[in-house]
């Protein structure tokens, strides 16, 4: 049996990431990708948080679906919302 290091040990704790978020600065991200920063849409510069109340069973189904597709839950839901509510729809234009 191996001994655990004491709580006051100077050994760094193992950090685990929680998933990908939209970039904080899309212009910097565009520069890194060597794309044109002017090609970004105005909506790409701002994000908003959306909160929903769902059942634990629905949350579990979403998490399993995201995992089986190799996505984060946030990326899966962003893709779903983008497909359902594209920026330019024929119904929205007069």
């Amino acid at each position: 049996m191996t001994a655990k290091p004491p709580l006051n040990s100077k050994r760094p704790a193992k950090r685990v990431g929680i998933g990908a978020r939209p970039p904080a600065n899309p212009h910097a991200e565009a520069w890194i990708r060597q794309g044109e920063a002017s090609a970004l849409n105005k909506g790409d510069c701002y994000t908003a948080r959306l909160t929903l109340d769902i059942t634990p069973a629905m949350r579990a189904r979403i998490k399993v679906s995201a995992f089986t597709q190799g996505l984060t839950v946030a990326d899966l839901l962003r893709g779903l919302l983008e497909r359902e509510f594209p920026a330019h729809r024929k119904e929205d234009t007069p």
Side-chain angles (χ1 to χ4, degrees):
M1 188 165 147
T2 60
K4 291 183 179 179
L7 292 176
N8 61 358
S9 172
K10 293 187 182 204
R11 198 164 94 190
K14 184 178 177 183
R15 296 187 66 160
V16 178
I18 59 172
R21 281 187 156 179
N25 186 339
H27 294 287
E29 186 71 22
W31 178 80
I32 291 168
R33 288 190 314 257
Q34 299 298 316
E36 288 291 321
S38 61
L40 293 171
N41 295 327
K42 185 175 182 179
D44 293 340
C45 296
Y46 305 102
T47 61
R49 187 166 303 275
L50 177 64
T51 304
L52 309 174
D53 292 326
I54 59 173
T55 64
M58 173 65 77
R59 180 176 180 263
R61 291 194 307 267
I62 292 169
K63 288 179 76 169
V64 167
S65 181
F67 178 78
T68 58
Q69 295 178 49
L71 299 170
T72 64
V73 170
D75 288 338
L76 176 105
L77 293 176
R78 281 187 205 105
L80 177 109
L81 291 170
E82 189 60 42
R83 283 191 307 273
E84 285 296 315
F85 305 102
H88 303 288
R89 294 176 75 164
K90 290 182 182 180
E91 300 91 45
D92 294 340
T93 56

